[in-house]
Amino acid sequence: MQKVYLFFALCLLSSTYSLSQKKLDSVAISGYLDLYYAKDFRNPSVNSNSLFVSSNQYNKLSVNFAYLSLGFFKKDYYLQFTPAFGTYMDANYANESKGTRWIFESYVGKNMHGKKFKQLDAGIFSSPYTQETAISGQQLMYSRSLSAEYTPYYLSGLRANFKVSDKLSWSAYLVNGYQHLPSKKYLPAFGSLLHWTPKKLILNWSLYLGNEQTKLDKSKTWRLFNEVNVERSWGKLKFQSCGYLGLQVLDNKLTQWWQINSILAYDILPSFSVNARLEYFRDVSEIMINQFYDNHGFHFIGTSMGIKYKLNESFSIGSEAKLLHNKAGLNSVIGTLFLQAKF
């Protein structure tokens, strides 16, 4: 996979570099800061939560996620580079090589101008899975559901974007496994996203198919992941829901995990909104989650409620309460205060 990725990346990068010897058409710079203070009121002495990678440090003011995004554009070519830091990066990139744990995005691309084929990218980019991303400011709620925390937030490899019709688009991925940077060697995996936008509705269907076997762990082989999420708005009311099923061959046996969650958000004022989430997650064989489990694996019900106030176009503040419970020892009430800033 590294050789395939490197070949396409060098081809695109060489084209971008040759054009950069001339004056760039444009440069785009943006930034983001996600600052939070969280506490588990059921377990007040606990200072971290390994169940999550987002906003997982307690009893102190912390940066969850901060980045500086740089975009360079010349004719049909572009380069996107986004270094980042924060507790999210520390947790989610812990298994990556030390020298790469600060890279949120780094890819080169080309606008193809085909009737259907629109863009080709090579590098590290955000994944298409679930309606939630690593950037809290893009979400209806501040925190993430477990569904997002246990699917890839990022992928590395190749991405091709196609426009099927005015309301239907498709993206195909050839990537280095289930959320791994190029410095780690995994067998090539396939990903897909079908994005459909009929009237007042957004529907996404994503897939992943890959072999998770490594030299150190030969127990896991083929993995198939199938996810659907939907979004609908009725004036001030917004609704999102996501469901997925994962299948994993483990020690030559087929195992599974699945989840479903729904979110409602209501704009009381243009600058003030309230939101709530209900979620259920089940992992019978502890494929994704190997804590707080019993003879029936990991399973839990979670609820979240929050408020958000938009100070201006750049700053938002808010708070959220998250309740997590199962019969295997998971019993948390997490309160969070947050500040989001973008420029």
Side-chain angles (χ1 to χ4, degrees):
M1 182 64 214
Q2 284 183 311
K3 292 180 180 179
V4 175
Y5 157 70
L6 186 59
F7 173 76
F8 280 95
L10 287 175
C11 289
L12 289 173
L13 187 59
S14 62
S15 301
T16 306
Y17 176 77
S18 64
L19 286 171
S20 70
Q21 303 307 299
K22 304 175 183 179
K23 186 178 179 181
L24 291 170
D25 290 336
S26 63
V27 176
I29 301 175
S30 63
Y32 179 75
L33 172 66
D34 173 356
L35 194 67
Y36 72 101
Y37 180 91
K39 187 178 186 66
D40 186 342
F41 291 96
R42 289 276 175 84
N43 308 280
S45 62
V46 172
N47 293 320
S48 64
N49 189 339
S50 59
L51 201 57
F52 296 91
V53 296
S54 301
S55 308
N56 65 356
Q57 299 298 302
Y58 300 157
N59 301 321
K60 63 180 179 180
L61 187 65
S62 303
V63 174
N64 176 54
F65 187 42
Y67 68 72
L68 180 67
S69 182
L70 306 172
F72 304 92
F73 304 89
K74 180 64 179 180
K75 293 186 178 178
D76 292 331
Y77 296 89
Y78 50 87
L79 185 153
Q80 190 72 37
F81 179 62
T82 308
F85 70 94
T87 58
Y88 159 76
M89 297 294 292
D90 295 340
N92 203 33
Y93 289 68
N95 292 326
E96 304 291 355
S97 301
K98 289 185 178 180
T100 62
R101 293 176 185 173
W102 52 275
I103 303 174
F104 177 62
E105 283 187 326
S106 180
Y107 63 88
V108 293
K110 184 180 188 300
N111 293 315
M112 306 305 293
H113 295 295
K115 186 176 181 181
K116 302 294 184 181
F117 189 11
K118 295 303 180 181
Q119 290 104 18
L120 176 65
D121 300 328
I124 303 163
F125 34 75
S126 297
S127 86
Y129 304 115
T130 82
Q131 78 276 25
E132 300 173 79
T133 75
I135 305 172
S136 63
Q138 296 178 348
Q139 317 305 312
L140 294 183
M141 300 195 69
Y142 173 73
S143 71
R144 311 310 180 282
S145 64
L146 279 188
S147 70
E149 297 285 270
Y150 289 90
T151 56
Y153 276 122
Y154 62 88
L155 299 170
S156 65
L158 302 174
R159 174 176 62 188
N161 296 322
F162 301 85
K163 183 179 180 181
V164 182
S165 68
D166 290 340
K167 296 182 179 181
L168 184 65
S169 62
W170 179 60
S171 297
Y173 299 78
L174 182 64
V175 295
N176 186 37
Y178 199 78
Q179 186 172 268
H180 305 291
L181 293 182
S183 56
K184 299 285 186 178
K185 292 184 179 180
Y186 283 80
L187 292 172
F190 171 76
S192 173
L193 171 66
L194 200 63
H195 178 70
W196 185 40
T197 56
K199 291 183 179 180
K200 299 181 180 180
L201 187 72
I202 298 174
L203 181 64
N204 295 305
W205 175 34
S206 63
L207 290 170
Y208 172 89
L209 176 63
N211 192 317
E212 298 304 296
Q213 189 178 75
T214 66
K215 292 181 179 179
L216 297 178
D217 184 2
K218 297 184 181 298
S219 62
K220 294 179 182 178
T221 55
W222 288 101
R223 175 177 296 177
L224 173 64
F225 176 79
N226 185 29
E227 179 261 341
V228 175
N229 67 76
V230 63
E231 181 175 334
R232 179 73 158 85
S233 296
W234 296 271
K236 298 180 179 181
L237 181 65
K238 299 181 180 68
F239 170 78
Q240 288 181 342
S241 188
C242 168
Y244 63 61
L245 172 67
L247 300 175
Q248 175 72 59
V249 177
L250 178 65
D251 294 325
N252 297 318
K253 295 181 181 179
L254 186 63
T255 60
Q256 63 175 300
W257 75 97
W258 62 275
Q259 73 80 40
I260 187 167
N261 74 80
S262 295
I263 301 172
L264 280 173
Y266 183 76
D267 295 330
I268 297 176
L269 298 171
S271 59
F272 182 69
S273 63
V274 295
N275 46 66
R277 175 198 293 124
L278 178 64
E279 58 181 313
Y280 179 78
F281 196 108
R282 187 169 183 85
D283 186 355
V284 177
S285 301
E286 301 99 54
I287 298 298
M288 291 292 148
I289 304 176
N290 58 2
Q291 54 183 317
F292 301 114
Y293 61 90
D294 54 24
N295 294 334
H296 303 288
F298 175 85
H299 50 97
F300 105 115
I301 295 176
T303 57
S304 305
M305 296 162 284
I307 60 173
K308 183 175 180 179
Y309 180 67
K310 189 176 181 180
L311 298 172
N312 50 44
E313 291 300 318
S314 299
F315 293 92
S316 297
I317 58 173
S319 65
E320 185 175 302
K322 181 189 289 283
L323 287 74
L324 309 173
H325 177 74
N326 71 7
K327 296 180 180 180
L330 177 59
N331 188 17
S332 294
V333 177
I334 303 164
T336 305
L337 300 174
F338 63 87
L339 167 69
Q340 299 161 330
K342 61 180 181 179
F343 64 89

